[in-house]
């Protein structure tokens, strides 16, 4: 139970929940001139739905680049991009040999190893820098109390946490880069079709209309 005489008022406040609506309930509420602020659509907050609609509208508007660049230059760009991607093959094989088999590919030079070392140790250094306040506090606490064993354990725990965080960041960045390469390959392949620009405009128009309707409903 909440004791208002002892605890702070914020501790006694009820958790904020949103009113869950279905699609037709949301349309009915909107038609009455009421905003959907603080409401959810099938368990998803309407704020996030509106933001997703704005993001989709932004992506759909990106097809204007086709009109600026021109369909012919878009095809030339796709061909050039596929040629560059084809050159990644040996480098990808070198990275695979290093990660899966633990051996260096003949194409790997000392410069490549230095770049990887800088990225790894730089990421680890940044992660440790974010934990420096906790490390300093543990050192000061151990120095003041004389418990250097406990301080050493706390410092080691913070460094271990930074190490795991750095590995997670590098793994996430690698997965994001891999996904971006796959997406670029797929887009460049589609751009080689003659009717790509027309299809892109039709899809973008449909996405833009749907995003506008959703954004209007959420407002």
């Amino acid at each position: 139970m909440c004791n208002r005489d002892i605890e702070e008022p914020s501790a006694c406040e009820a958790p904020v929940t949103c009113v869950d609506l279905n699609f037709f309930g949301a349309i009915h509420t909107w038609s009455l001139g009421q905003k959907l602020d603080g409401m959810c659509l099938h368990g998803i907050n309407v704020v996030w739905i509106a933001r997703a609609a704005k993001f989709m509208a932004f992506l759909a508007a990106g097809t204007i680049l086709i009109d600026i660049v021109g369909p012919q230059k878009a095809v030339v760009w796709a061909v050039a991009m596929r040629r560059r991607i084809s050159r990644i093959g040996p480098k990808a094989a070198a990275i695979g040999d290093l990660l899966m088999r633990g051996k260096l590919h003949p194409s790997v030079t000392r410069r490549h190893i230095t770049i990887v070392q800088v990225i790894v140790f730089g990421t680890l250094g940044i992660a440790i820098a974010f934990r420096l306040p906790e490390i300093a506090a543990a050192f000061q606490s151990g120095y003041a109390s004389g418990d250097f064993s406990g301080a050493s354990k706390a410092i080691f725990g913070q460094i271990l946490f930074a190490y795991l965080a750095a590995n997670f960041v590098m793994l996430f960045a690698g997965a994001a880069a891999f996904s971006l390469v796959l997406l670029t390959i797929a887009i460049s392949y589609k751009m080689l079709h003659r009717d790509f620009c027309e299809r892109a405009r039709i899809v973008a128009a449909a996405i833009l209309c749907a995003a506008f309707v959703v954004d209007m409903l959420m407002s």
Side-chain angles (χ1 to χ4, degrees):
M1 297 179 64
C2 179
N3 191 342
R4 297 181 180 274
D5 297 331
I6 299 177
E7 299 184 11
E8 296 181 358
S10 59
C12 303
E13 295 178 356
V16 179
T17 57
C18 60
V19 179
D20 196 9
L21 300 174
N22 55 26
F23 183 73
F24 297 102
I27 294 178
H28 177 70
T29 304
W30 180 83
S31 64
L32 296 177
Q34 300 178 6
K35 289 187 175 182
L36 300 181
D37 296 340
M39 298 184 182
C40 295
L41 187 62
H42 296 289
I44 304 176
N45 197 308
V46 296
V47 174
W48 292 108
I49 297 177
R51 291 176 180 177
K54 290 182 175 64
F55 180 72
M56 295 302 296
F58 173 77
L59 293 180
T63 53
I64 194 174
L65 295 176
I66 297 177
D67 298 323
I68 296 175
V69 176
Q72 298 299 328
K73 290 185 178 180
V75 174
V76 172
W77 177 86
V79 174
M81 180 59 64
R82 291 191 63 82
R83 288 177 180 176
R84 292 190 181 97
I85 292 174
S86 63
R87 298 172 186 172
I88 300 177
K91 297 181 180 180
I95 296 174
D97 289 339
L98 179 61
L99 295 178
M100 304 300 295
R101 302 178 184 178
K103 66 177 184 179
L104 295 178
H105 194 270
S107 61
V108 177
T109 62
R110 183 63 185 176
R111 178 173 172 268
H112 295 143
I113 297 176
T114 302
I115 293 175
V116 173
Q117 288 176 344
V118 170
I119 294 175
V120 171
F121 288 109
T123 306
L124 181 59
I126 294 174
I128 293 177
F130 276 103
R131 308 304 300 178
L132 280 180
E134 288 77 7
I135 295 175
F139 177 79
Q140 292 176 359
S141 177
Y143 181 79
S145 62
D147 186 12
F148 294 103
S149 177
S152 300
K153 292 180 180 179
I155 294 174
F156 177 76
Q158 295 296 333
I159 295 177
L160 179 61
F161 178 83
Y163 173 78
L164 295 177
N167 280 272
F168 176 79
V169 170
M170 287 185 288
L171 181 63
F172 178 80
F178 181 74
S179 302
L180 182 61
V181 170
L182 293 181
L183 180 62
T184 304
I185 293 175
I187 293 177
S188 61
Y189 177 77
K190 293 294 184 182
M191 290 180 67
L192 294 177
H193 294 280
R194 295 181 178 179
D195 56 346
F196 168 78
C197 296
E198 289 73 15
R199 290 184 179 182
R201 291 189 181 97
I202 295 174
V203 173
I207 294 176
L208 186 61
C209 293
F212 174 79
V213 172
V214 173
D215 192 20
M216 177 68 71
L217 178 62
M218 298 300 108
S219 62

